[in-house]
Amino acid sequence: MLELLKNLASWLTSGPQWSGNAGIAHRLVEHLEYSLLATLVAAAIALPIGMLIGHTGRGAFVAVNLASFGRALPTVGLVTLVFLAGGLSKWPVYISLVALAVPVIITNTYAGMAAVDPDIKDAAKGVGLRGHQVLWQVELPLALPLIMTGIRLATVQVIATATIAAYVSFGGLGRYVYDGLAQRDLVQVLGGAALVAVLAVAADLALGGVQRLLLRGRPASAR
């Protein structure tokens, strides 16, 4: 085990390992491209849907069951299916990652909106705020902690799952995992897995910092 850890440390800190198109730096950029683009697209789709369901109360059954659907989604199977249907492109990767992230964001957005005290919404309407004003000025700010939690969870899941890009011959940190398995190179497999884990933790910490900035000045109970 000690020898394996030494080899892993050597692999991660080797200068040549970080350079070139097959180097860690290039693979990291590829992984971030897949992950960030997929999460942004998922947020653009899921946030309006979750807000609409939470604000109107319609379609709550769909929102609740989307979480279970997301957990049961066979990501590799979906990648393979889209790959066979659409040919050699990055679309299978993006479609699968977006499909993974959307249910998490919708569910948390809906939960945050639904958790707003109805008395607060009635009070806002009582002082003259209209429906869309109640949504943007009252419900959304109060739901923000749960919404941000959903985005953080989705981001971490997408980063961890973006290794599937290598499954259909594209790049990213998953390249080390799949190539290492094919070559029976345990050090390379562990190196790729460690890099993905560190990237996921770093992204979660960064989004946690953004969340704290957005919620600065609120009572602790409102976070």
Side-chain angles (χ1 to χ4, degrees):
M1 176 61 75
L2 184 60
E3 185 66 25
L4 179 61
L5 292 176
K6 287 182 179 179
N7 291 337
L8 177 60
S10 177
W11 186 87
L12 289 171
T13 57
S14 172
Q17 188 63 43
W18 285 81
S19 60
N21 289 336
I24 293 174
H26 184 74
R27 296 301 187 198
L28 179 61
V29 171
E30 290 177 329
H31 204 94
L32 284 171
E33 175 192 333
Y34 303 144
S35 303
L36 294 180
L37 183 56
T39 304
L40 288 173
V41 171
I45 295 171
L47 287 175
I49 295 174
M51 289 167 60
L52 180 63
I53 294 174
H55 179 65
T56 63
R58 299 173 183 172
F61 176 81
V62 175
V64 170
N65 284 276
L66 270 175
S68 299
F69 169 77
R71 285 192 294 269
L73 184 68
T75 310
V76 174
L78 182 59
V79 168
T80 304
L81 181 63
V82 180
F83 178 76
L84 292 175
L88 183 60
S89 71
K90 293 181 182 179
W91 283 110
V93 177
Y94 287 122
I95 290 173
S96 300
L97 295 178
V98 169
L100 175 70
V102 163
V104 179
I105 300 176
I106 288 180
T107 302
N108 275 66
T109 302
Y110 159 72
M113 301 288 289
V116 177
D117 191 334
D119 291 339
I120 295 177
K121 292 187 282 187
D122 290 340
K125 294 175 182 177
V127 297
L129 294 184
R130 298 184 178 180
H132 69 279
Q133 292 175 315
V134 174
L135 170 63
W136 290 103
Q137 297 179 31
V138 178
E139 293 178 271
L140 186 59
L142 292 174
L144 191 57
L146 274 177
I147 293 174
M148 283 300 302
T149 298
I151 293 174
R152 290 173 66 180
L153 289 172
T155 302
V156 170
Q157 289 183 11
V158 167
I159 289 174
T161 311
T163 54
I164 60 172
Y167 179 74
V168 285
S169 302
F170 290 103
L173 297 174
R175 190 79 269 159
Y176 298 123
V177 176
Y178 283 93
D179 288 350
L181 288 172
Q183 300 164 13
R184 297 186 179 181
D185 185 346
L186 182 57
V187 172
Q188 187 176 181
V189 173
L190 290 176
L195 289 168
V196 172
V198 169
L199 181 59
V201 171
D204 186 57
L205 291 174
L207 288 173
V210 172
Q211 183 172 348
R212 285 190 293 273
L213 286 175
L214 292 174
L215 301 178
R216 179 177 293 175
R218 293 191 184 190
S221 60
R223 302 182 187 181

